[in-house]
Amino acid sequence: MVFDARGLEIALGSYVRYVDTGTIGEVLDVKTQDGMEWVKLDKTELWYRSNLVELLDDKDIKKSTLYDDRDNQDLDIEAMKEKANALEDMQMDSSVAEGGG
């Protein structure tokens, strides 16, 4: 048995979100190695420490019609255009952050 960041048990086939990057995936495998618990996600085929992921409810899982066409859903072209326009209108400011060197 492996547990998520909130102490909930993670089962094979459940969906989790990696807290640091927001990566969501289905749990393909679990393992315990050197006292640490790990889960392997389908989207990246990578192993993540189980205490750094959160177990998701069905309502938390969003299907991406852009990348996941298995449901044969229509793309919302207008919504995609709005997102693209919002990104184009974003202003860059050099005073936001400074380099470390």
Side-chain angles (χ1 to χ4, degrees):
M1 282 192 288
V2 297
F3 299 92
D4 75 348
R6 297 175 294 192
L8 302 173
E9 184 178 350
I10 301 172
L12 292 177
S14 58
Y15 283 85
V16 296
R17 174 180 30 239
Y18 180 55
V19 177
D20 290 344
T21 62
T23 301
I24 295 175
E26 181 181 355
V27 176
L28 297 178
D29 198 3
V30 297
K31 70 178 179 180
T32 302
Q33 183 176 352
D34 297 327
M36 288 187 257
E37 299 171 340
W38 299 85
V39 295
K40 185 176 183 178
L41 302 187
D42 67 333
K43 297 288 183 189
T44 60
E45 294 284 324
L46 296 174
W47 289 92
Y48 297 84
R49 298 248 330 251
S50 68
N51 65 336
L52 298 177
V53 300
E54 295 177 328
L55 193 61
L56 297 177
D57 293 331
D58 289 338
K59 64 181 168 106
D60 296 328
I61 303 167
K62 295 181 181 177
K63 294 281 186 187
S64 170
T65 58
L66 183 59
Y67 299 108
D68 187 359
D69 199 22
R70 287 178 272 169
D71 294 333
N72 209 12
Q73 297 175 354
D74 293 331
L75 291 175
D76 187 351
I77 300 300
E78 291 305 314
M80 292 175 63
K81 286 180 183 177
E82 288 176 20
K83 287 181 184 179
N85 287 336
L87 289 174
E88 287 176 6
D89 292 339
M90 185 173 60
Q91 294 181 357
M92 298 297 286
D93 188 354
S94 63
S95 66
V96 174
E98 296 181 18

Short mmCIF file of all heavy atoms in Angstrom, two decimals, residues 11-12 15 17-20 28 35 37 45 48 58 76 92 99:
data_model
loop_
_atom_site.label_atom_id
_atom_site.label_comp_id
_atom_site.label_asym_id
_atom_site.label_seq_id
_atom_site.Cartn_x
_atom_site.Cartn_y
_atom_site.Cartn_z
N ALA A 11 -4.57 3.46 -5.20
CA ALA A 11 -4.77 2.15 -5.82
C ALA A 11 -4.38 2.22 -7.29
O ALA A 11 -4.40 3.29 -7.91
CB ALA A 11 -6.24 1.73 -5.70
N LEU A 12 -4.03 1.07 -7.86
CA LEU A 12 -3.76 1.00 -9.29
C LEU A 12 -5.00 1.45 -10.06
O LEU A 12 -6.12 1.11 -9.69
CB LEU A 12 -3.38 -0.42 -9.71
CG LEU A 12 -2.06 -0.95 -9.20
CD1 LEU A 12 -1.87 -2.40 -9.64
CD2 LEU A 12 -0.90 -0.11 -9.67
N TYR A 15 -6.43 8.09 -10.35
CA TYR A 15 -5.78 9.26 -10.94
C TYR A 15 -5.22 10.13 -9.83
O TYR A 15 -5.84 10.34 -8.80
CB TYR A 15 -6.78 10.06 -11.78
CG TYR A 15 -7.05 9.42 -13.12
CD1 TYR A 15 -7.99 8.42 -13.25
CD2 TYR A 15 -6.34 9.81 -14.24
CE1 TYR A 15 -8.24 7.81 -14.46
CE2 TYR A 15 -6.57 9.21 -15.47
CZ TYR A 15 -7.51 8.22 -15.57
OH TYR A 15 -7.74 7.62 -16.79
N ARG A 17 -2.48 13.75 -9.06
CA ARG A 17 -1.84 14.97 -9.59
C ARG A 17 -0.54 15.17 -8.83
O ARG A 17 -0.52 15.17 -7.60
CB ARG A 17 -2.74 16.18 -9.39
CG ARG A 17 -2.08 17.49 -9.80
CD ARG A 17 -2.95 18.72 -9.61
NE ARG A 17 -3.91 18.63 -8.54
CZ ARG A 17 -5.23 18.75 -8.71
NH1 ARG A 17 -5.74 18.97 -9.89
NH2 ARG A 17 -6.04 18.67 -7.67
N TYR A 18 0.56 15.35 -9.59
CA TYR A 18 1.86 15.67 -8.99
C TYR A 18 1.80 17.12 -8.53
O TYR A 18 1.53 18.02 -9.31
CB TYR A 18 2.97 15.44 -9.99
CG TYR A 18 4.36 15.74 -9.49
CD1 TYR A 18 4.84 15.15 -8.33
CD2 TYR A 18 5.19 16.61 -10.17
CE1 TYR A 18 6.11 15.42 -7.87
CE2 TYR A 18 6.46 16.88 -9.73
CZ TYR A 18 6.93 16.29 -8.57
OH TYR A 18 8.20 16.55 -8.12
N VAL A 19 2.01 17.36 -7.25
CA VAL A 19 1.79 18.66 -6.64
C VAL A 19 2.66 19.75 -7.25
O VAL A 19 2.19 20.85 -7.50
CB VAL A 19 2.01 18.57 -5.10
CG1 VAL A 19 1.86 19.92 -4.46
CG2 VAL A 19 1.06 17.57 -4.48
N ASP A 20 3.93 19.46 -7.52
CA ASP A 20 4.86 20.50 -7.98
C ASP A 20 4.55 21.03 -9.37
O ASP A 20 4.71 22.22 -9.62
CB ASP A 20 6.30 19.98 -7.93
CG ASP A 20 6.80 19.80 -6.51
OD1 ASP A 20 6.18 20.35 -5.58
OD2 ASP A 20 7.83 19.12 -6.33
N LEU A 28 -0.14 3.51 -12.99
CA LEU A 28 0.10 2.23 -13.66
C LEU A 28 0.71 1.19 -12.73
O LEU A 28 0.47 -0.01 -12.89
CB LEU A 28 1.03 2.42 -14.86
CG LEU A 28 0.55 3.31 -15.99
CD1 LEU A 28 1.63 3.43 -17.05
CD2 LEU A 28 -0.73 2.74 -16.59
N GLY A 35 12.47 2.27 1.64
CA GLY A 35 11.61 2.96 2.57
C GLY A 35 10.79 4.09 1.97
O GLY A 35 10.09 4.80 2.69
N GLU A 37 7.89 5.33 -0.97
CA GLU A 37 6.79 4.84 -1.79
C GLU A 37 6.75 5.62 -3.10
O GLU A 37 6.92 6.84 -3.13
CB GLU A 37 5.47 4.99 -1.04
CG GLU A 37 5.44 4.20 0.25
CD GLU A 37 4.24 4.52 1.10
OE1 GLU A 37 3.62 5.58 0.91
OE2 GLU A 37 3.90 3.69 1.95
N GLU A 45 5.15 8.15 -18.00
CA GLU A 45 5.90 6.90 -17.80
C GLU A 45 7.04 7.10 -16.79
O GLU A 45 8.05 6.42 -16.86
CB GLU A 45 6.46 6.38 -19.13
CG GLU A 45 5.41 5.93 -20.12
CD GLU A 45 4.80 4.58 -19.77
OE1 GLU A 45 5.51 3.69 -19.28
OE2 GLU A 45 3.59 4.42 -20.00
N TYR A 48 6.97 8.81 -9.46
CA TYR A 48 6.84 9.96 -8.59
C TYR A 48 6.73 9.47 -7.15
O TYR A 48 6.10 8.46 -6.89
CB TYR A 48 5.57 10.76 -8.92
CG TYR A 48 5.58 11.36 -10.31
CD1 TYR A 48 5.18 10.61 -11.41
CD2 TYR A 48 5.98 12.67 -10.51
CE1 TYR A 48 5.19 11.15 -12.69
CE2 TYR A 48 5.98 13.22 -11.79
CZ TYR A 48 5.59 12.46 -12.86
OH TYR A 48 5.59 13.01 -14.11
N ASP A 58 -13.26 11.98 -9.35
CA ASP A 58 -13.70 12.05 -10.75
C ASP A 58 -13.96 13.49 -11.18
O ASP A 58 -13.67 13.86 -12.31
CB ASP A 58 -14.95 11.21 -10.97
CG ASP A 58 -14.66 9.72 -10.90
OD1 ASP A 58 -13.49 9.34 -11.11
OD2 ASP A 58 -15.60 8.95 -10.65
N ASP A 76 -13.35 22.94 -29.33
CA ASP A 76 -13.95 24.27 -29.19
C ASP A 76 -12.96 25.28 -29.74
O ASP A 76 -12.10 25.80 -29.02
CB ASP A 76 -14.27 24.54 -27.72
CG ASP A 76 -15.06 25.83 -27.54
OD1 ASP A 76 -15.20 26.59 -28.52
OD2 ASP A 76 -15.52 26.06 -26.41
N MET A 92 5.35 41.38 -21.28
CA MET A 92 6.53 40.92 -20.59
C MET A 92 7.17 42.13 -19.88
O MET A 92 7.19 43.22 -20.41
CB MET A 92 7.54 40.31 -21.56
CG MET A 92 7.00 39.10 -22.29
SD MET A 92 6.60 37.74 -21.20
CE MET A 92 8.23 37.17 -20.80
N GLY A 99 18.04 37.37 -12.29
CA GLY A 99 18.85 36.16 -12.31
C GLY A 99 19.63 35.99 -11.03
O GLY A 99 19.83 36.93 -10.26
#
